[in-house]
C-alpha cells in the first residue's frame, strides 16, 4: 500500500508487500508467483530451468522435423505419419513455451510465428494426404473439415465431410435435412448466440466491423470511411491474436481476409475476445501495450518483416518497431485519457520512446500546463521539472525531499529522539547514449556531495558505486533517555538504498514491465541536507558540462532539430524562442583554459597576507560561471598529475576560492587555516626531517627564505673566484603547488585534500602553496637537495643562481644541476652557458619570481605593482 513519509514532495511506496514475482504459468494455468531472486529476472529458478528444458526440446524437435526433408516429396504412409507426429510435437511444444512463459512476461516470442505456421500447414496437408492414401476420413484442423478417398466412379477423388454445426458450413448446405431436425435447431441456436456475441463486440468497437467498406456509426446513424483510429483499433485485435499465439487460431487468422469473417467462424473464443476488448475500452493499464503495438503496426515500414493477419500486417520483429513522433501524436490525439500521461512507460517500446515523448511534452507539443488534456505536468512529473536534464537524455523517476534536520524531539515520557534524513533522486539514461557512462562516472566521482549507485537494468550489473550499500541510509532515528545520551545511542535506519531499489523494482513490475530494459538506473543520494531540492539541477549542470557547455538556447535548438518533424521546426523554434525558455541564464562557457603549465599563481600570498581569504566568498557560494571556471582549472591540474579525484569519501580539509588577479583573470586559493594543528604541527614536521630541532633549522643562516640569500651567496662566490660567471634561472613549480617529490612519505602531507562546490574530492599529489608552512617545507627541501649538495648552486623558492669558477666550467656545472633536476622531475629555465655573465648587477639576483599576485594584495599594498616578481 502507498505510504507517505514526512516532508516529501511525492509519496514513497513501500514495495515489500509487492516484490517482483515469477511470471510463468503452471501446467494447469495458475500463476507461479514465487518471489524473484534478482531484480532483472522474469522467472524463478525452477521455471527458468524448465523454460530452458522445454525450449531445448522444441528446438530439437524442430531440427528433427527439418532433417526429414521436404514434406511434399512422395513417401510411404509410415514415413508421412512420422513427419506428422514430429510436426505436431513441434507445434505443441512451442504453444506450451509461449503459453507458460511469454503470455504474461516482458519478452517477445513472435519471431517464429511465420515458421511455425508453415510447419502447421505442412502437417495438416500431410494428414489429408495420409487419409487420402488410407481411404478413411481424418479431421483437417485448418479448415474444420474431414476428408476421405472413395472408390468407383469417384476413384482418386477426395471427398470432404464437414461438421454441420460448424459456422463455416452455410445453412443452405443443410437443406437436405428436415426442418424439425435437432441439428437444424441446434445450429440456429448456435448461430443466434454467435451473432449476439459478435454484436456485443461491435457495440464495444464498431471499428472492428470490416464486413463492408464503410463503418456504421450507431450513435449518429450514419456511415463513414474508416479513419486512422479505426485502423489502429483493428490492429489492436490482430495484436491480441498474435499475443495469445494459439497456433490453430493463428493458422485460421492468417488465411482469413477480414475480422468479421474470422469472428463469424469462431466459437469458444468469442467470450475471451469480448473480455479483452472491454478491458481495452476501459483503458485498463495491462492492455496499454496492445494499443502501443497496434500503433507501431499502423506505422510499420514496408521493408520490416511482418505477417498478414485478418488482412492487416503485424510486425514479427520488435526491434524495428518504435512509437516515434507520429506514434505519440496518434496516441495523444485519438486515444489519450486523463491517466495516459501517468503511464507513458507502458506505451514505450524502449527507453528512447519514453525519452522522446517526455521531450515532446516539454516542448508543449501535447498541451500546455494549464490544459486538462496536457501531458505536461512538471508539478507532478519529476522528469519534467528540469527541461535541461531531460533534453540531454536524463529521465528522472522518483525523488524525496526532506526539510533540513530539526533539533531533538521528545516523546510523552520525556525520551529524546534525534532524526536525520537525506534527499535522493532516481533516474534513467539510455545505454546507447554516449553521455550516460560519462554522467555516471562524473556523479560517482562527487563523493563529498553524493552517495551514488548505478546499475544496468537489463543485466542487473552494478555500473558504479561510491559507497557500501549498507551505508546508504535515507532516513534514520535514534532514541535515548536524554539528549546527552543520544551520542551513544544506536541509529535505526528506516529507509535506505535497498528500499529505493525495491521501489524501482516494484515500478518496473507494475508500470514498466512491457518497456525494454535498454537503460541504466541511477540513484543519487545527498550526503547533507539542503535548504532546497537541487539534485536535478546538479544532474543538468553535469550534463551541460559533459556536452561541451552549450548555452540553454543551443540545447533547445538542437532538441527541436533532432526530434520535431522538419516541416514544423521553424514554427516550433519561433514559438519557443519568443517565450521565456526554462533555466536560461547567461552563458558560462569559457575558451580552452590550461592554467597548469602556462600560468604561475603567486606562492607567497598566504604567508605575506594571512587574512586575504577572510572576506572572500567560499567555494559553496560560487555562481555557475565561477564553478565552471574552477572545474576547467582543476581539470588541467588533474591532467598534469598535480591532483587526483578520490573514489571514496573522506572528510574534506579545504574548499577552493577564486580571487581576481592583477592581470584580470581569476586564480584558485585554498584555505587550510582550520586544518588540525595548523602551523604548530607543520613546524614540528620540520623537526622530524633531520636530527636538528625545528628551531635550529628555521634559524639556520644558510636557509634563506628571500632574495637576499641569493645575493650574498653570489657575492661570496665572486670574492672566492674572481673569474666566476653566473646565470639566474627558475624552477618551474606547478600552477599552485610545489613540485615536492615523495610528499606521501610524510604522514601529515600524504592525504591532503580539498572539496569542490559540486562535491568532488581531490587529493594533492604535490605540496600546495597554501598549506601552512609549505613555504618553509619547500625551502628546506631545496636546502637539503640542492644548496647543500651542489656548492655552485643556490636556490630560493622558484629562483636559483648557478655559478662557475671560470667560463670553461659553466657547461659542467649546468649538466650536473640538470641531472639532479631530472632525477627530481623538475623543469628548469636558464640561459645557455655562452650567455652567462660575470656582472652580478645585470642579473637582479635578489629579485624572486613570485607568480601572478591577486588584486587584493595590490589594494593592501599599493606600492606593489609587479605581476611576476617582488623583492
Amino acid at each position: 500500500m502507498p505510504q507517505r513519509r514526512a516532508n516529501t514532495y511525492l509519496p514513497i511506496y513501500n514495495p515489500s508487500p509487492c516484490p517482483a514475482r515469477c511470471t510463468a504459468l503452471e501446467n494447469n494455468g495458475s500463476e507461479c508467483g514465487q518471489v524473484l531472486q534478482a531484480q532483472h529476472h522474469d522467472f524463478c529458478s525452477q521455471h527458468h530451468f524448465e523454460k530452458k528444458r522445454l525450449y531445448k526440446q522444441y528446438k530439437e524437435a524442430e531440427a528433427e522435423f527439418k532433417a526429414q526433408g521436404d514434406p511434399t516429396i512422395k513417401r510411404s504412409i509410415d514415413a508421412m505419419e512420422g513427419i506428422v507426429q514430429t510436426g505436431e510435437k513441434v507445434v505443441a511444444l512451442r504453444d506450451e513455451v509461449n503459453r507458460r512463459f511469454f503470455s504474461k512476461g516482458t519478452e517477445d516470442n513472435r519471431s517464429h510465428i511465420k515458421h511455425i505456421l508453415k510447419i502447421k500447414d505442412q502437417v495438416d496437408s500431410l494428414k489429408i494426404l495420409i487419409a487420402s492414401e488410407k481411404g478413411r476420413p481424418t479431421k483437417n484442423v485448418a479448415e474444420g473439415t474431414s476428408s476421405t478417398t472413395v472408390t468407383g466412379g469417384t476413384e482418386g477423388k477426395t471427398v470432404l465431410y464437414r461438421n454441420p454445426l460448424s459456422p463455416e458450413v452455410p445453412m443452405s448446405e443443410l437443406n437436405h435435412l428436415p426442418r424439425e431436425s435437432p441439428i437444424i435447431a441446434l445450429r440456429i441456436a448456435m448461430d443466434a448466440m454467435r451473432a449476439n456475441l459478435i454484436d456485443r463486440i461491435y457495440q464495444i468497437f464498431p471499428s472492428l466491423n470490416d464486413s463492408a467498406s464503410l463503418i456504421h456509426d450507431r450513435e449518429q446513424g450514419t456511415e463513414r470511411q474508416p479513419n486512422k483510429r479505426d485502423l489502429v483499433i483493428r490492429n489492436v485485435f490482430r495484436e491480441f491474436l498474435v499475443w495469445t499465439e494459439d497456433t490453430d487460431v493463428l493458422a485460421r487468422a492468417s488465411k482469413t481476409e477480414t475480422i468479421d469473417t474470422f469472428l463469424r467462424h469462431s466459437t469458444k473464443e468469442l467470450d475471451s475476445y469480448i473480455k479483452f476488448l472491454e478491458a481495452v475500452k476501459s483503458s485498463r493499464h495491462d492492455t496499454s501495450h496492445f494499443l502501443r503495438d497496434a500503433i507501431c503496426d499502423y506505422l510499420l515500414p514496408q521493408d520490416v518483416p511482418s505477417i498478414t493477419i485478418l488482412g492487416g500486417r503485424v510486425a514479427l520483429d520488435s526491434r524495428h518497431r518504435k512509437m516515434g513522433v507520429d506514434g505519440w501524436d496518434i496516441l495523444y490525439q485519438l486515444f489519450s485519457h486523463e491517466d495516459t500521461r501517468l503511464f507513458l512507460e507502458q506505451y514505450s517500446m524502449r527507453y528512447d520512446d519514453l525519452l522522446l515523448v517526455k521531450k515532446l511534452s516539454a516542448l508543449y507539443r501535447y498541451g500546455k500546463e494549464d490544459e486538462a488534456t496536457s501531458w505536461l505536468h512538471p508539478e507532478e512529473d519529476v522528469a519534467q521539472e528540469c527541461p535541461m536534464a531531460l533534453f540531454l537524455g536524463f529521465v528522472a523517476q522518483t525523488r524525496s525531499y526532506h526539510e533540513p534536520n530539526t533539533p531533538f524531539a521528545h516523546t510523552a515520557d520525556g525520551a529524546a529522539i534525534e532524526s536525520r534524513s537525506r534527499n535522493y533522486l532516481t533516474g534513467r539514461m539510455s545505454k546507447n547514449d554516449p553521455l550516460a557512462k560519462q554522467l555516471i562516472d562524473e556523479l560517482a566521482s562527487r563523493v563529498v556531495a553524493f552517495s551514488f549507485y548505478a546499475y544496468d537494468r537489463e543485466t542487473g550489473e552494478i555500473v558504479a558505486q561510491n559507497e557500501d550499500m549498507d551505508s546508504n541510509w535515507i532516513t534514520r532515528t535514534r532514541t535515548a533517555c536524554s539528549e546527552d545520551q543520544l551520542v551513544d545511542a544506536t541509529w535505526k535506519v528506516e529507509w535506505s538504498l535497498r528500499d529505493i531499489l525495491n521501489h524501482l523494482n516494484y515500478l518496473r513490475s507494475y508500470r514498466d514491465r512491457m518497456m525494454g530494459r535498454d537503460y541504466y538506473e541511477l540513484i543519487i543520494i545527498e550526503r547533507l541536507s539542503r535548504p532546497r531540492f537541487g539534485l536535478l539541477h546538479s544532474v543538468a549542470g553535469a550534463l551541460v558540462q559533459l556536452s561541451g557547455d552549450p548555452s540553454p538556447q543551443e540545447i533547445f535548438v538542437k532538441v527541436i532539430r533532432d526530434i520535431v518533424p522538419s516541416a514544423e521546426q521553424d514554427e516550433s523554434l519561433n514559438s519557443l524562442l519568443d517565450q521565456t525558455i526554462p533555466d536560461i541564464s547567461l552563458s558560462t562557457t569559457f575558451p580552452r583554459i590550461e592554467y597548469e603549465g602556462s600560468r604561475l599563481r603567486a606562492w607567497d600570498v598566504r604567508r605575506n597576507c594571512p587574512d586575504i581569504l577572510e572576506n572572500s566568498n567560499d567555494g559553496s557560494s560560487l555562481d555557475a560561471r565561477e564553478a565552471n571556471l574552477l572545474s576547467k582549472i582543476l581539470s588541467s591540474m588533474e591532467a598534469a598529475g598535480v591532483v587526483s579525484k578520490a573514489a571514496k569519501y573522506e572528510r574534506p580539509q579545504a574548499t577552493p576560492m577564486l580571487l581576481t588577479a592583477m592581470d584580470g583573470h581569476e586564480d584558485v586559493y585554498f584555505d587550510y587555516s582550520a586544518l588540525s594543528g595548523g602551523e604548530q604541527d607543520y613546524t614540528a614536521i620540520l623537526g622530524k626531517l633531520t636530527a636538528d630541532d625545528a628551531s635550529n633549522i628555521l634559524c639556520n643562516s644558510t636557509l634563506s627564505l628571500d632574495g637576499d640569500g641569493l645575493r650574498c651567496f653570489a657575492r661570496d662566490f665572486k670574492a672566492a673566484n674572481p673569474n666566476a660567471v653566473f646565470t639566474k634561472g627558475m624552477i618551474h613549480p606547478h600552477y599552485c603547488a610545489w613540485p615536492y617529490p615523495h610528499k606521501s612519505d610524510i604522514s601529515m602531507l600524504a592525504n591532503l585534500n580539498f572539496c569542490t562546490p559540486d562535491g568532488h574530492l581531490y587529493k594533492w599529489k604535490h605540496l600546495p602553496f597554501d598549506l601552512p608552512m609549505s613555504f618553509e617545507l619547500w625551502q628546506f627541501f631545496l636546502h637539503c637537495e640542492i644548496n647543500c649538495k651542489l656548492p655552485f648552486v643556490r636556490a630560493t623558492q622558484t629562483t636559483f643562481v648557478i655559478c662557475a669558477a671560470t667560463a670553461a666550467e659553466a657547461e659542467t656545472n649546468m649538466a650536473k644541476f640538470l641531472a639532479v633536476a631530472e632525477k627530481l622531475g623538475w623543469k628548469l629555465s636558464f640561459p645557455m652557458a655562452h650567455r652567462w655573465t660575470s656582472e652580478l648587477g645585470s642579473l637582479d639576483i635578489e629579485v624572486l619570481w613570485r607568480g601572478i599576485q591577486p588584486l587584493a594584495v595590490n589594494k593592501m599594498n599599493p606600492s606593489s605593482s609587479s605581476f611576476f616578481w617582488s623583492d
Side-chain angles (χ1 to χ4, degrees):
M1 293 292 293
Q3 178 179 337
R4 180 177 293 275
R5 291 181 175 269
N7 301 323
T8 58
Y9 284 142
L10 297 177
I12 301 176
Y13 294 90
N14 186 350
S16 54
C18 301
R21 296 184 180 275
C22 177
T23 58
L25 299 180
E26 303 289 358
N27 280 320
N28 60 6
S30 62
E31 296 184 11
C32 169
Q34 289 289 327
V35 176
L36 298 180
Q37 295 180 354
Q39 59 190 19
H40 59 285
H41 290 170
D42 278 326
F43 310 114
C44 64
S45 58
Q46 175 187 341
H47 283 112
H48 170 75
F49 290 111
E50 186 174 2
K51 176 194 171 189
K52 291 182 66 175
R53 177 181 61 80
L54 286 173
Y55 190 76
K56 180 181 179 183
Q57 290 178 4
Y58 158 62
K59 298 304 290 184
E60 289 174 349
E62 183 185 34
E64 182 182 350
F65 182 82
K66 289 181 179 179
Q68 293 176 356
D70 187 354
T72 62
I73 298 176
K74 186 174 180 60
R75 63 189 77 202
S76 67
I77 292 179
D78 290 342
M80 287 190 292
E81 287 179 338
I83 295 176
V84 168
Q85 185 178 4
T86 304
E88 289 180 332
K89 182 180 179 181
V90 172
V91 173
L93 282 170
R94 188 177 187 279
D95 278 352
E96 182 178 4
V97 170
N98 180 75
R99 177 180 62 85
R100 296 184 56 197
F101 299 101
F102 292 92
S103 62
K104 292 179 68 64
T106 61
E107 297 183 72
D108 194 338
N109 193 35
R110 61 174 61 196
S111 59
H112 287 76
I113 289 179
K114 187 174 288 187
H115 176 64
I116 207 70
L117 289 179
K118 180 180 178 182
I119 293 177
K120 169 118 177 97
D121 186 62
Q122 292 171 343
V123 169
D124 289 341
S125 298
L126 278 177
K127 290 165 109 177
I128 294 176
L129 183 58
I130 292 171
S132 175
E133 293 288 337
K134 287 185 174 183
R136 71 183 185 205
T138 185
K139 187 176 181 188
N140 184 329
V141 180
E143 299 295 335
T145 64
S146 297
S147 65
T148 188
T149 300
V150 299
T151 58
T154 58
E155 184 175 0
K157 297 181 180 180
T158 300
V159 179
L160 299 178
Y161 295 91
R162 294 191 288 182
N163 184 348
L165 298 179
S166 171
E168 297 178 3
V169 178
M171 285 293 292
S172 60
E173 294 188 11
L174 303 181
N175 288 338
H176 62 285
L177 296 173
R179 297 299 298 172
E180 64 275 9
S181 169
I183 293 178
I184 295 295
L186 187 57
R187 173 63 187 273
I188 292 173
M190 292 178 64
D191 284 353
M193 292 174 59
R194 185 179 302 107
N196 182 55
L197 292 175
I198 293 173
D199 189 60
R200 284 183 59 189
I201 289 176
Y202 292 159
Q203 288 178 10
I204 299 171
F205 285 118
S207 307
L208 293 177
N209 188 352
D210 57 356
S211 59
S213 59
L214 300 178
I215 294 178
H216 178 68
D217 190 327
R218 301 190 181 199
E219 294 182 359
Q220 300 294 330
T222 59
E223 293 185 337
R224 56 177 175 79
Q225 290 288 340
N227 56 29
K228 190 182 299 184
R229 187 175 190 276
D230 299 319
L231 299 179
V232 170
I233 290 174
R234 292 173 182 178
N235 279 344
V236 169
F237 184 69
R238 296 185 180 103
E239 279 292 338
F240 178 69
L241 297 182
V242 173
W243 180 258
T244 57
E245 285 198 43
D246 181 276
T247 306
D248 288 338
V249 173
L250 281 179
R252 185 161 57 86
S254 65
K255 297 177 180 180
T256 306
E257 290 296 326
T258 65
I259 296 174
D260 184 73
T261 302
F262 176 82
L263 292 176
R264 296 192 183 281
H265 288 178
S266 300
T267 53
K268 60 183 179 181
E269 302 95 351
L270 291 175
D271 283 330
S272 64
Y273 298 159
I274 290 173
K275 291 178 181 178
F276 165 71
L277 294 171
E278 286 176 340
V280 174
K281 183 74 172 180
S282 64
S283 302
R284 213 170 71 186
H285 299 310
D286 57 351
T287 65
S288 302
H289 65 95
F290 292 106
L291 179 56
R292 173 201 68 189
D293 294 344
I295 293 173
C296 291
D297 289 336
Y298 175 79
L299 300 171
L300 196 66
Q302 290 298 321
D303 57 348
V304 172
S306 63
I307 185 174
T308 300
I309 299 289
L310 304 178
R313 294 175 66 227
V314 174
L316 287 177
D317 190 347
S318 296
R319 292 175 300 173
H320 296 92
R321 295 196 301 179
K322 61 179 181 179
M323 286 290 282
V325 179
D326 292 338
W328 290 118
D329 286 351
I330 290 173
L331 181 64
Y332 178 73
Q333 295 166 7
L334 303 178
F335 298 98
S336 182
H337 52 85
E338 60 181 8
D339 288 339
T340 302
R341 62 182 176 83
L342 302 176
F343 295 92
L344 292 175
E345 289 83 355
Q346 295 183 344
Y347 298 96
S348 304
M349 289 295 301
R350 283 168 288 276
Y351 175 82
D352 288 341
D353 275 339
L354 178 65
L355 177 62
L356 174 64
V357 71
K358 295 287 187 179
K359 288 181 179 180
L360 292 171
S361 299
L363 292 174
Y364 308 112
R365 187 177 185 87
Y366 302 129
K368 297 185 178 180
E369 296 179 43
D370 55 350
E371 297 176 2
T373 59
S374 174
W375 286 358
L376 180 63
H377 288 269
E379 73 283 356
E380 298 178 15
D381 185 355
V382 64
Q384 297 175 345
E385 281 190 26
C386 181
M388 287 302 150
L390 181 59
F391 290 157
L392 292 172
F394 181 83
V395 176
Q397 272 217 93
T398 63
R399 70 163 182 187
S400 177
Y401 169 71
H402 300 265
E403 299 291 346
N405 293 315
T406 57
F408 311 109
H410 293 84
T411 62
D413 59 0
I417 301 176
E418 183 179 8
S419 300
R420 290 287 181 267
S421 59
R422 291 170 167 176
N423 304 329
Y424 76 83
L425 173 73
T426 71
R428 300 165 171 172
M429 282 200 76
S430 171
K431 291 166 63 176
N432 300 320
D433 189 339
L435 279 180
K437 289 299 290 289
Q438 297 179 49
L439 178 66
I440 289 172
D441 292 341
E442 171 66 20
L443 295 178
S445 67
R446 299 187 180 188
V447 295
V448 176
F450 309 134
S451 291
F452 182 76
Y453 185 90
Y455 64 96
D456 186 328
R457 171 53 82 175
E458 189 169 19
T459 65
E461 176 187 0
I462 298 175
V463 180
Q465 182 179 4
N466 65 8
E467 191 168 336
D468 294 337
M469 183 176 292
D470 293 334
S471 303
N472 283 315
W473 55 272
I474 305 301
T475 59
R476 63 180 184 177
T477 60
R478 58 182 177 181
T479 306
C481 295
S482 65
E483 294 182 6
D484 294 338
Q485 296 176 346
L486 280 172
V487 68
D488 298 321
T490 302
W491 287 105
K492 179 183 178 182
V493 176
E494 297 180 335
W495 194 261
S496 68
L497 174 61
R498 294 184 185 275
D499 296 300
I500 298 175
L501 291 171
N502 288 338
H503 184 204
L504 295 180
N505 293 338
Y506 168 75
L507 289 177
R508 175 72 201 180
S509 62
Y510 166 67
R511 186 192 64 188
D512 310 340
R513 68 185 183 90
M514 299 310 301
M515 185 177 74
R517 299 172 175 175
D518 54 333
Y519 57 89
Y520 297 114
E521 294 270 20
L522 285 64
I523 303 173
I524 311 161
I525 304 171
E526 278 189 327
R527 288 191 183 275
L528 300 176
S529 179
R530 304 284 182 182
R532 65 182 183 88
F533 186 84
L535 285 173
L536 254 176
H537 291 279
S538 296
V539 172
L543 285 169
V544 169
Q545 184 178 353
L546 294 170
S547 300
D549 296 306
S551 68
Q553 183 168 325
E554 289 172 334
I555 294 173
F556 266 74
V557 171
K558 183 179 186 304
V559 169
I560 291 174
R561 295 296 188 198
D562 287 345
I563 67 174
V564 175
S566 56
E568 306 172 33
Q569 288 182 4
D570 290 341
E571 181 182 353
S572 297
L573 285 170
N574 293 333
S575 174
L576 280 170
L577 298 181
D578 286 342
Q579 304 174 30
T580 301
I581 298 179
D583 291 347
I584 278 239
S585 58
L586 295 176
S587 174
T588 61
T589 59
F590 294 92
R592 184 174 179 83
I593 296 176
E594 295 292 348
Y595 273 39
E596 178 61 37
S598 60
R599 183 178 179 86
L600 175 61
R601 201 211 77 187
W603 40 262
D604 60 349
V605 173
R606 296 301 310 281
R607 184 171 187 266
N608 297 332
C609 304
D611 300 330
I612 194 170
L613 297 181
E614 284 189 359
N615 297 322
S616 302
N617 291 333
D618 62 17
S620 61
S621 60
L622 297 180
D623 60 29
R625 188 199 69 82
E626 293 168 334
N628 202 359
L629 172 62
L630 176 63
S631 176
K632 299 288 187 183
I633 296 173
L634 296 180
S635 294
S636 69
M637 293 171 59
E638 184 179 13
V642 180
V643 296
S644 64
K645 285 181 182 176
K648 295 293 183 180
Y649 174 80
E650 295 179 13
R651 186 179 182 85
Q653 298 168 341
T655 301
M657 306 178 188
L658 292 175
L659 293 180
T660 303
M662 296 181 68
D663 63 351
H665 292 289
E666 290 161 297
D667 284 310
V668 183
Y669 288 81
F670 303 87
D671 186 3
Y672 280 99
S673 60
L675 199 63
S676 177
E679 192 167 317
Q680 292 182 354
D681 277 359
Y682 286 96
T683 302
I685 292 176
L686 292 176
K688 298 177 182 179
L689 297 180
T690 67
D692 300 325
D693 292 335
S695 58
N696 292 335
I697 294 175
L698 295 175
C699 296
N700 192 313
S701 60
T702 65
L703 188 61
S704 175
L705 299 177
D706 54 39
D708 287 340
L710 295 179
R711 183 175 59 244
C712 294
F713 170 78
R715 184 186 58 205
D716 294 344
F717 194 93
K718 178 72 172 178
N721 302 280
N723 297 323
V725 292
F726 306 87
T727 194
K728 180 181 177 183
M730 178 180 182
I731 301 172
H732 289 273
H734 298 290
Y735 162 65
C736 58
W738 303 110
Y740 194 110
H742 312 301
K743 177 182 73 69
S744 59
D745 294 343
I746 305 174
S747 60
M748 294 194 66
L749 305 180
N751 294 308
L752 292 174
N753 67 46
F754 63 89
C755 169
T756 64
D758 57 14
H760 289 119
L761 185 70
Y762 285 89
K763 288 193 171 185
W764 288 100
K765 292 186 174 182
H766 293 274
L767 186 64
F769 289 164
D770 298 328
L771 187 74
M773 301 297 292
S774 70
F775 187 94
E776 288 80 5
L777 282 168
W778 168 247
Q779 185 58 45
F780 180 69
F781 181 79
L782 293 179
H783 172 75
C784 296
E785 296 294 326
I786 302 298
N787 299 346
C788 292
K789 295 181 179 180
L790 299 175
F792 51 85
V793 179
R794 180 54 51 89
T796 298
Q797 306 308 328
T798 59
T799 310
F800 61 83
V801 175
I802 311 181
C803 313
T806 64
E809 293 181 5
E811 291 280 359
T812 301
N813 290 356
M814 183 175 65
K816 290 180 180 179
F817 188 27
L818 286 173
V820 173
E822 183 177 0
K823 181 179 178 181
L824 295 172
W826 293 348
K827 295 179 180 179
L828 307 178
S829 294
F830 57 89
M832 300 298 291
H834 67 278
R835 295 285 188 183
W836 291 23
T837 179
S838 60
E839 298 294 330
L840 292 177
S842 64
L843 295 179
D844 291 328
I845 291 179
E846 69 280 0
V847 178
L848 304 180
W849 281 297
R850 298 179 182 272
I852 303 175
Q853 299 286 327
L855 190 60
V857 170
N858 193 44
K859 292 179 180 179
M860 295 178 183
N861 182 13
S863 63
S864 175
S865 59
S866 172
F867 281 8
F868 299 99
W869 57 82
S870 60
D871 294 341

